[in-house]
Amino acid sequence: MVAFSTLSGLSALSLLFSLVQKVHGVSLEVSTEGGNSSSPLLYGFMFEDINYSNDGGIYGQLLQNNGLQGSSPNLTAWASVGDATISVDAENPLTSAIPHSLRLDVPEGTTGQVGFTNEGYWGIPVDGSTFQSYFWIKGDFSNNVTIRLVGTNSGTEYASTSVEVSSNADEFTYITTSFPTTKAPDGDVLYELTVDGELVAGRSLNFGLLQLFPETYKSRYNGLKPQLANALESIKGSFLRFPGGNNLEGDTEETRWKWNETIGPVEDRPGHQGTWTYYNTDGLGLMEYFYWCEDLNLTPVLGVWAGFALESGGNTPFTGDALQPYIDDTLNELEFILGDSSTTYGSLRATYGHEEPFDVTLVEIGNEDNLGGGCESYAERFTAFYDAIHAAYPDLILIASTDNASCLPSTLPEGAWLDFHDYNTADGLVSEFNLFDNKDRSVPYFIGEYSRWEIEWPSIKNSVAEAVYMIGLERNSDVVKMAAYAPLLQLVNSTQWTPDLIPFTQNPTNMIIETVSYYVQQMFSVNRGDTIKEVTSDSAFGPVYWVASSAGDNYYVKLANYGSETQDVVVSIPGLSSGKLTVLADNDPEASNTDTQTLVTPSEKDVTGEDGSFSFTLPAWSVAVLAAN
Ligand SMILES: *[C@@H]1O[C@H](CO)[C@@H](O)[C@H](O)[C@H]1NC(C)=O
Ligand SMILES: *[C@@H]1O[C@H](CO)[C@@H](O)[C@H](O)[C@H]1NC(C)=O
Ligand SMILES: *[C@@H]1O[C@H](CO)[C@@H](O)[C@H](O)[C@H]1NC(C)=O
Ligand SMILES: *[C@@H]1O[C@H](CO)[C@@H](O)[C@H](O)[C@H]1NC(C)=O
Ligand SMILES: *[C@@H]1O[C@H](CO)[C@@H](O)[C@H](O)[C@H]1NC(C)=O
Ligand SMILES: *[C@@H]1O[C@H](CO)[C@@H](O)[C@H](O)[C@H]1NC(C)=O
Ligand SMILES: CC(=O)N[C@H]1CO[C@H](CO)[C@@H](O)[C@@H]1O
């Protein structure tokens, strides 16, 4: 039944017609009084290196296997050019962290250009910006080195530059060059470095840690790939959880994410074997994560290693005295981030270019410690980390990596938050719409990872389910402080996990695939109030779900229709007259956006409120936001 008394005559009449025509409908009355405060951090990002989201993804460096890192490096992504051979050379290490270099052997009698190519991470996106290349060279050579970016099959040249080099056989010489590029039509591009073979005939040269960057996001040195940073910017998220995820934990203690090996000059960063099958360069390291937060205005949520690695049968979890070195290591990390430059690690940070402490207020202890054998020891590990961190930094908010009570201390320290992860089916997400309605309000929640999983590309039905779930979170955003879809980014050509929010290729023109879930995240994040308003209705939740919020005079009503029937909606917000309605919908619940099709995009239209009453239609399988004032 519909509460006609709350509607104007006109909309009551149209609704009556609707009812007569057996069109389904929902009438909502939004209170303009009171309400609960909504967390300002609610929507944000969770990030770890998975599916080449970091190396080959948002990290701006474009050459793959550029430092020949790993325990037994090979020539993946490299090939020789001309009458020369290349090899991995352990005799001429660049640094102790980068213990190999690329050796170029040139036979006697060689003429013409010789050198090598790198194919990037399934291509190189040449976007027409000014590129930078950096490399180290060892060997007697005083002439030009030529760098080109060329189409793999077409041979088309998108950049060509010569840089004068004067190097010797005693040490590596560092070379930097900057050059214009022409935008390529696709990602099928090789990086090529050559020298005049006649000058090196019968000898060899060594090259170390070759790097290639486009103009990065906000032109930051060692910065982000602009197309991916722009995609995140367009969502207007509030926080960034890093560096993982499984990748924080590592498969073993040895391959955990070690903060102090991700800082300083990149040639001093050894990288590490990631948990998602490939080696991580750590070129995007701890400081780069903070610059990312600064440049995109994100609140950092720092994950710290909590004495547990993923590999069953390994020597973790560490407990008792064995845990202390890792607690000390975390305190060092926090001093590096938060200490002023009079402290040991604060001064190291200053040396590396950031005089002022970074801004961190949220620290998560471990990752998913309810899983894989971490549960039994987590209460002890969490407490040990909590006590040490809290004593040194009482203002930090500390987050436990699970909400499973059997893995937590019997009494949670006051002020601690819980992280809950939810990979689920579409119906499962919808069934959890009210998961937080009756939670204890004194323990704040972080939904550190969630999404409809076990599908390749999010379809509208799945994304509507996520929207229903998010409506449930937003209604409870007095206690649910933050929520992040996961995983965030995915290189389409090499995927370890699907679905992901923002799949991408190396095509500089259509790099980003805007999935249906991406649009849901964007619609929810850009339309945020600071107060959740009471909504009264004669209809129960389902298949239509809603939440209303306000920020000053602006009101936002988010709706999801998890069903195949069209729904007529009347939203009454006393005193408001103009609104904008954004709708994402498709009649086919399986419709999705992929690397080959874009079927579902949001549409926008103006709506006017007759005496504060906004009437519109919610299509089958849809997500909508009414922004009114
Ligand atoms: C090169 O090393 C990578 C990483 O260890 C491995 O996946 C790949 O199979 C190796 N390639 C060859 C040709 O050995
Ligand atoms: C990468 O994937 C895209 C989208 O499917 C495809 O167009 C491109 O050819 C692939 N590139 C490589 C090098 O496989
Ligand atoms: C090296 O390149 C520079 C710049 O392109 C050019 O001016 C110079 O003539 C070149 N030198 C030689 C020896 O080819
Ligand atoms: C990083 O810290 C650990 C623990 O404090 C220490 O053993 C290691 O030598 C450090 N590594 C570097 C590169 O400073
Ligand atoms: C909590 O963790 C225990 C131990 O791993 C497990 O048996 C139980 O199912 C978990 N409970 C929930 C609600 O996930
Ligand atoms: C505010 O929070 C309380 C406590 O959870 C809840 O009962 C009430 O419905 C909430 N009000 C709104 C407008 O969401
Ligand atoms: C879809 C896909 O690529 N899945 C892969 C995810 O990564 C795991 C582990 O690397 C592989 O086993 C899957 O094939």
Side-chain angles (χ1 to χ4, degrees):
M1 264 300 290
V2 171
F4 285 110
S5 61
T6 66
L7 305 176
S8 72
L10 188 64
S11 43
L13 201 62
S14 62
L15 195 68
L16 188 60
F17 272 117
S18 308
L19 291 172
V20 166
Q21 292 168 4
K22 290 204 168 70
V23 174
H24 298 74
V26 178
S27 167
L28 309 176
E29 190 172 354
V30 178
S31 168
T32 53
E33 306 292 322
N36 293 331
S37 67
S38 175
S39 168
L41 293 179
L42 188 56
Y43 299 118
F45 306 120
M46 182 275 168
F47 183 81
E48 68 175 328
D49 203 339
I50 179 172
N51 300 329
Y52 293 91
S53 58
N54 181 340
D55 286 327
I58 198 164
Y59 179 40
Q61 202 291 113
L62 303 174
L63 304 181
Q64 188 183 179
N65 193 21
N66 65 323
L68 303 166
Q69 289 164 294
S71 52
S72 54
N74 60 30
L75 290 171
T76 293
W78 296 101
S80 61
V81 171
D83 187 13
T85 55
I86 56 172
S87 55
V88 177
D89 189 354
E91 308 284 286
N92 289 281
L94 177 62
T95 59
S96 57
I98 309 281
H100 295 94
S101 59
L102 185 69
R103 179 177 160 130
L104 177 71
D105 282 298
V106 186
E108 292 282 0
T110 296
T111 57
Q113 291 294 111
V114 295
F116 45 79
T117 58
N118 185 288
E119 63 192 33
Y121 292 91
W122 293 266
I124 294 176
V126 183
D127 61 7
S129 67
T130 298
F131 273 45
Q132 313 275 336
S133 185
Y134 317 126
F135 61 91
W136 301 79
I137 178 171
K138 186 176 177 182
D140 283 320
F141 187 76
S142 290
N143 199 263
N144 279 351
V145 163
T146 300
I147 292 173
R148 302 194 311 145
L149 300 175
V150 284
T152 311
N153 301 309
S154 64
T156 309
E157 198 172 88
Y158 303 111
S160 178
T161 188
S162 289
V163 51
E164 235 175 289
V165 165
S166 178
S167 65
N168 60 63
D170 300 331
E171 58 184 0
F172 278 97
T173 302
Y174 187 50
I175 307 294
T176 70
T177 176
S178 161
F179 52 93
T181 67
T182 312
K183 188 171 182 174
D186 55 35
D188 255 343
V189 175
L190 294 171
Y191 170 92
E192 181 196 82
L193 186 152
T194 58
V195 297
D196 180 350
E198 212 170 321
L199 303 173
V200 203
R203 300 191 295 120
S204 64
L205 294 173
N206 279 78
F207 293 83
L209 194 66
L210 296 101
Q211 300 185 74
L212 179 70
F213 284 91
E215 174 86 46
T216 58
Y217 184 67
K218 300 208 168 162
S219 303
R220 196 175 272 288
Y221 169 74
N222 199 35
L224 304 180
K225 198 184 272 171
Q227 295 86 351
L228 294 186
N230 285 330
L232 298 188
E233 189 186 276
S234 73
I235 293 178
K236 294 206 174 98
S238 297
F239 65 86
L240 179 69
R241 173 178 170 228
F242 63 87
N246 287 8
N247 228 5
L248 165 72
E249 298 177 85
D251 285 330
T252 64
E253 180 268 345
E254 180 50 32
T255 57
R256 74 192 191 279
W257 190 85
K258 296 177 190 155
W259 73 273
N260 64 344
E261 296 185 355
T262 75
I263 56 174
V266 285
E267 64 272 19
D268 292 336
R269 303 184 194 179
H272 72 282
Q273 179 60 45
T275 49
W276 297 103
T277 72
Y278 56 94
Y279 202 82
N280 297 178
T281 68
D282 293 326
L284 196 169
L286 183 62
M287 288 183 73
E288 287 78 18
Y289 279 117
F290 279 100
Y291 290 132
W292 174 353
C293 290
E294 287 183 1
D295 289 348
L296 275 133
N297 197 20
L298 299 165
T299 294
V301 181
L302 175 73
V304 298
W305 196 74
F308 180 64
L310 293 166
E311 197 168 90
S312 59
N315 60 343
T316 68
F318 294 135
T319 54
D321 289 346
L323 202 52
Q324 195 57 46
Y326 300 96
I327 294 174
D328 295 342
D329 188 49
T330 294
L331 292 175
N332 293 343
E333 178 179 9
L334 290 172
E335 185 178 286
F336 180 84
I337 295 163
L338 291 168
D340 65 38
S341 48
S342 72
T343 61
T344 308
Y345 290 98
S347 91
L348 184 61
R349 181 200 62 239
T351 310
Y352 292 154
H354 205 276
E355 182 74 29
E356 289 300 309
F358 288 112
D359 174 31
V360 73
T361 53
L362 295 151
V363 173
E364 178 158 355
I365 297 169
N367 172 64
E368 292 182 345
D369 285 273
N370 51 317
L371 300 179
C375 179
E376 288 71 15
S377 59
Y378 189 61
E380 178 189 341
R381 292 184 289 113
F382 172 76
T383 303
F385 274 87
Y386 183 95
D387 289 349
I389 298 172
H390 185 68
Y393 303 96
D395 293 337
L396 287 183
I397 292 170
L398 302 179
I399 308 173
S401 73
T402 175
D403 76 332
N404 184 323
S406 63
C407 316
L408 290 169
S410 50
T411 311
L412 205 62
E414 200 180 325
W417 294 13
L418 301 178
D419 184 354
F420 172 67
H421 294 180
D422 205 342
Y423 293 102
N424 216 319
T425 60
D427 286 349
L429 288 171
V430 172
S431 76
E432 291 184 342
F433 167 72
N434 60 0
L435 189 61
F436 292 93
D437 285 2
N438 299 308
K439 284 270 196 247
D440 168 11
R441 297 338 249 187
S442 68
V443 184
Y445 261 82
F446 173 25
I447 315 305
E449 304 179 19
Y450 70 90
S451 61
R452 161 69 173 118
W453 73 326
E454 292 181 328
I455 51 170
E456 191 174 1
W457 303 96
S459 71
I460 183 73
K461 178 181 173 181
N462 294 314
S463 301
V464 174
E466 287 163 2
V468 171
Y469 186 75
M470 292 166 78
I471 287 172
L473 301 181
E474 188 166 322
R475 290 175 74 240
N476 287 284
S477 56
D478 55 324
V479 68
V480 176
K481 301 295 186 187
M482 306 188 289
Y485 181 107
L488 184 62
L489 304 173
Q490 161 206 9
L491 176 57
V492 169
N493 306 90
S494 181
T495 292
Q496 283 83 47
W497 179 290
T498 60
D500 301 72
L501 192 64
I502 306 176
F504 60 91
T505 67
Q506 306 294 15
N507 183 331
T509 307
N510 294 312
M511 186 177 290
I512 304 299
I513 295 156
E514 284 152 346
T515 61
V516 188
S517 292
Y518 162 89
Y519 286 122
V520 170
Q521 291 295 320
Q522 185 182 49
M523 285 165 66
F524 273 54
S525 180
V526 305
N527 293 294
R528 276 195 256 179
D530 53 29
T531 307
I532 304 304
K533 303 308 248 190
E534 195 174 341
V535 179
T536 45
S537 176
D538 285 351
S539 306
F541 288 117
V544 179
Y545 297 82
W546 58 83
V547 62
S549 65
S550 70
D553 294 336
N554 296 308
Y555 279 71
Y556 305 95
V557 182
K558 293 171 181 158
L559 297 134
N561 180 7
Y562 188 66
S564 55
E565 312 274 356
T566 297
Q567 302 280 344
D568 279 343
V569 177
V570 179
V571 176
S572 139
I573 317 174
L576 269 59
S577 55
S578 68
K580 190 186 75 181
L581 183 71
T582 309
V583 178
L584 187 71
D586 203 292
N587 278 327
D588 175 5
E590 299 311 318
S592 63
N593 300 336
T594 72
D595 53 345
T596 55
Q597 65 183 29
T598 302
L599 298 178
V600 192
T601 57
S603 64
E604 251 179 49
K605 66 172 182 185
D606 291 330
V607 285
T608 47
E610 200 75 42
D611 288 339
S613 173
F614 299 84
S615 304
F616 51 89
T617 298
L618 215 48
W621 306 112
S622 63
V623 178
V625 179
L626 170 68
N629 55 34

